[in-house]
Amino acid sequence: MELADRAVGFLLSFISLSIFTYYTFWVIIVPFVDSDNFIHKYFLPQEYAILIPVCAGVVLLCLLCMFVGFVMLKSKKKKA
């Protein structure tokens, strides 16, 4: 079981590092590269650099609020 946990942890770390590297390159480096360069075909337009994290944050905040609400409802039922 410990080996499986390590594999999952390594996979999650690798995915997180890949996303961070891609996003950092997209936001910091690509705007300074000429627009006719081939590298631009690997990245979305710059508007999405803000839109995607904002939407992800809103979704995560909604899920967190729903979780807290369910926990509060569950704890009220246990007291009653």
Side-chain angles (χ1 to χ4, degrees):
M1 188 65 170
E2 184 178 319
L3 185 61
D5 290 341
R6 283 185 182 215
V8 170
F10 177 75
L11 181 66
L12 289 175
S13 296
F14 179 75
I15 290 171
S16 298
L17 184 63
S18 299
I19 291 172
F20 176 77
T21 304
Y22 179 86
Y23 185 78
T24 302
F25 193 78
W26 179 27
V27 171
I28 295 176
I29 307 290
V30 171
F32 298 108
V33 177
D34 291 334
S35 60
D36 59 345
N37 198 327
F38 73 95
I39 199 78
H40 280 280
K41 68 180 179 180
Y42 297 111
F43 297 94
L44 293 171
Q46 288 293 320
E47 297 84 33
Y48 292 107
I50 300 298
L51 187 64
I52 291 172
V54 167
C55 290
V58 168
V59 167
L60 286 173
L61 187 63
C62 289
L63 291 173
L64 179 66
C65 290
M66 286 174 37
F67 174 74
V68 169
F70 285 137
V71 169
M72 289 172 64
L73 287 173
K74 226 177 193 182
S75 68
K76 274 188 178 180
K77 288 180 183 177
K78 284 184 179 179
K79 287 182 182 178

